[in-house]
Structures are given as structure tokens and as C-alpha cells.
């Protein structure tokens, strides 16, 4: 499996605290069947997590050397979790903010933790116009998005891709996030499952349990694509598989009942 979202690099954000923890995370990932992790440190516009490509790439190289020294066959690929702000596309264009690997085709984008800023759609569009496909990190954890599905449906129809956290599916981020993550799967809106690993204990690496949970909702083939095929295509800069959006049966039934009740009300009126 390939893990598209992790905070594996030590000491530059709220991920691994030390090289020892980085190596422990690598061992845990390998034990779970992960062969490749993308290091996606926070890349904020300012503050202590305002990481930029030159510093991250140097740490990636050191990570590779230390893994080789320990005979840990985990492939590590460069990336970043780009916090959305009005001039995000400029940092992507000039290379100070990292896209996935060397292909410059996909970028992991993070919204604020509680809301959706008014410029979000414009920034997503600007990235797409520049030839970079945004992947939205863990939408199931954003309370504003959890209130309704239609905005995400619209964004996915316009080409946005969605990544759900493994631990959300397993209930570690609360029941509301778990239910919404399951709903996103039911609607066929999820394109990737990733760990968003932050440490060996706090949001640890591992995808297999979440893959099995997803398989119970969308079937094993689609669940496997979310942790293997689609992530491989992102790293290679190739088109990913996007499934037709599917309103779950109960949602279609509610819409039909709502339509009938409105029609009856109109008729009696």
C-alpha cells in the first residue's frame, strides 16, 4: 500500500518528535503492509509550521539515508500539506510549496479546522488552471463540510479529489467524523485513504484496518484502489480513477418522499 499523507519527518511540525520516532513510524508502516509513504509536512503561510521546499527536501534525503542504514525498505516521497490561503497557487507555481513527488500534477490541500474560507473555491480553481490537481485532506474532520454533502459533491464534480483519514474511518476522530467518512464512501466521493500519521501513538501509521472497513462499504476492489492504485498514479502524475457519484438508496428515497410530499402539498393548496 501507498500512504499519501503522513507527518513522518522529525521536528518540523506536529508530527514525529525525533529520528527515533520517524524510524518507529517507518517500522509500523512496513509491518502493516505499507511500502511507500509520502512525507507531507504542514506548509503554512507563516508561523512555526511555515515549511518550504528546500528544508523539507533536505530532510527527505536524510530520512532515506537513515532508513537505508537501518535496512528498512520503505520508500519515502516528498510532498506537503498545503494550508489554503489566497496566494497558495503562487507558492506552488514557484516551487516553494511542494506538490506530490516530481510530477507537479497533484497537491495535498488543507482547509482550516473549523470552517471553509470564502476564497477556497477560487484557490482550488487557480491550482487546476495551473495544471495542479488539488487533493483535499480529511474533509470529514471539518465541521462546516460535515453539515451537508452537496458542497463536496459540487467540488468533486469540478475535479477536486478527496482523501479520508484511516483513523477517522476507525472512529478515532469521533463518531461524527466516522459517520461522515462512511457517508463519503457510500456516495463514492473518496479517492484516497491515508494515515495522516503524526507519531507512533498519536494517529499512528497503518492503512490495512481502514482498507478493510472501507471494503465493507464499497467492496474490496474500490477500497484497494484507494490505498494502492490511485496513490501510485498520484506519485507518477497520471490520471486517477474517479468513480461516478452515487447517492445512497436512503438518500434517493428521502429525496423521492420529499418530492412527493411537496407535490401533495402543492396539489392540496
Amino acid at each position: 500500500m501507498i500512504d499519501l499523507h503522513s507527518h513522518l519527518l522529525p521536528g518540523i511540525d506536529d508530527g514525529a518528535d525525533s529520528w527515533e520516532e520517524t524510524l518507529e513510524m517507518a517500522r509500523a508502516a512496513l509491518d502493516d503492509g505499507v511500502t511507500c509513504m509520502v512525507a507531507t509536512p504542514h506548509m503554512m503561510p507563516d508561523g512555526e509550521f511555515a515549511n518550504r521546499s528546500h528544508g523539507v527536501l533536505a530532510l527527505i534525503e536524510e530520512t532515506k539515508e537513515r532508513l537505508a542504514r537501518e535496512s528498512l525498505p520503505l520508500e519515502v516521497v516528498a510532498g506537503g500539506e498545503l494550508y489554503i490561503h489566497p496566494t497558495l497557487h503562487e507558492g506552488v507555481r514557484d516551487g516553494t510549496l511542494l506538490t506530490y513527488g516530481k510530477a507537479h500534477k497533484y497537491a495535498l490541500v488543507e482547509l482550516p479546522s473549523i470552517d471553509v474560507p470564502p476564497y477556497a473555491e477560487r484557490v482550488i480553481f487557480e491550482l487546476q488552471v495551473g495544471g495542479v490537481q488539488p487533493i483535499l485532506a480529511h474533509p470529514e474532520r471539518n465541521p462546516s463540510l460535515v453539515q451537508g454533502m452537496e458542497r463536496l459533491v459540487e467540488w468533486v464534480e469540478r475535479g477536486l479529489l478527496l482523501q479520508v483519514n484511516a483513523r477517522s474511518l476507525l472512529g478515532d476522530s469521533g463518531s461524527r467524523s466516522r459517520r461522515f467518512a462512511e457517508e463519503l464512501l457510500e456516495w463514492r466521493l473518496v479517492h484516497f485513504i491515508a494515515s495522516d500519521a503524526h507519531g507512533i501513538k498519536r494517529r499512528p501509521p497503518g492503512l490495512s484496518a481502514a482498507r478493510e472497513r472501507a471494503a465493507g462499504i464499497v467492496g474490496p476492489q474500490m477500497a484497494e484502489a484507494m490505498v494502492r492504485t490511485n496513490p501510485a498514479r498520484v506519485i507518477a502524475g497520471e490520471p486517477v480513477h474517479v468513480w461516478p457519484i452515487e447517492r445512497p438508496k436512503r438518500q434517493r428515497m428521502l429525496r423521492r418522499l420529499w418530492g412527493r410530499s411537496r407535490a401533495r402539498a402543492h396539489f392540496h393548496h
Side-chain angles (χ1 to χ4, degrees), residues 147-186:
Q147 288 173 10
M149 192 66 73
E150 292 305 324
R151 177 156 45 179
L152 283 173
V153 168
E154 192 178 314
W155 287 2
V156 170
E157 284 174 341
R158 291 187 200 165
L160 185 69
L161 300 168
L162 303 187
Q163 173 259 307
V164 157
N165 279 5
R167 309 307 297 186
S168 295
L169 275 174
L170 303 176
D172 291 6
S173 297
S175 58
R176 197 178 185 194
S177 289
R178 178 183 56 77
R179 284 196 302 270
F180 195 61
E182 290 172 349
E183 213 176 327
L184 287 168
L185 284 166
E186 288 171 359

Side-chain angles (χ1 to χ4, degrees), residues 145-254:
L145 291 176
V146 169
Q147 288 173 10
M149 192 66 73
E150 292 305 324
R151 177 156 45 179
L152 283 173
V153 168
E154 192 178 314
W155 287 2
V156 170
E157 284 174 341
R158 291 187 200 165
L160 185 69
L161 300 168
L162 303 187
Q163 173 259 307
V164 157
N165 279 5
R167 309 307 297 186
S168 295
L169 275 174
L170 303 176
D172 291 6
S173 297
S175 58
R176 197 178 185 194
S177 289
R178 178 183 56 77
R179 284 196 302 270
F180 195 61
E182 290 172 349
E183 213 176 327
L184 287 168
L185 284 166
E186 288 171 359
W187 285 64
R188 306 300 191 258
L189 290 169
V190 180
H191 308 102
F192 315 96
I193 300 169
S195 73
D196 189 11
H198 273 65
I200 199 64
K201 292 179 180 171
R202 192 169 45 99
R203 241 180 285 162
L207 298 175
S208 61
R211 179 192 60 197
E212 297 313 308
R213 180 78 196 89
I217 299 170
V218 298
Q221 192 174 355
M222 196 180 294
E224 185 75 7
M226 292 173 187
V227 296
R228 194 186 299 270
T229 322
N230 269 356
R233 289 178 175 179
V234 164
I235 292 169
E238 297 168 355
V240 302
H241 192 83
V242 175
W243 298 274
I245 296 170
E246 191 174 300
R247 291 182 185 275
K249 286 176 184 172
R250 66 171 181 270
Q251 178 75 14
R252 292 198 295 267
M253 192 176 292
L254 283 170

Side-chain angles (χ1 to χ4, degrees), residues 12-89:
I12 62 168
D13 63 3
D14 55 347
D17 287 332
S18 63
W19 283 113
E20 289 71 25
E21 188 165 29
T22 294
L23 294 172
E24 280 187 73
M25 290 170 71
R27 289 187 186 97
L30 286 164
D31 288 346
D32 193 61
V34 173
T35 57
C36 173
M37 286 181 90
V38 184
T40 52
H42 291 290
M43 298 187 113
M44 300 279 192
D46 48 42
E48 59 177 331
F49 297 163
N51 296 300
R52 295 296 179 263
S53 58
H54 59 278
V56 173
L57 293 172
L59 268 181
I60 294 273
E61 289 311 307
E62 187 170 354
T63 303
K64 289 177 179 178
E65 288 167 14
R66 286 174 181 262
L67 289 170
R69 219 176 297 155
E70 296 290 321
S71 300
L72 294 172
L74 181 72
E75 183 185 354
V76 178
V77 173
E81 185 173 12
L82 316 185
Y83 191 84
I84 200 160
H85 61 90
T87 59
L88 177 62
H89 69 288

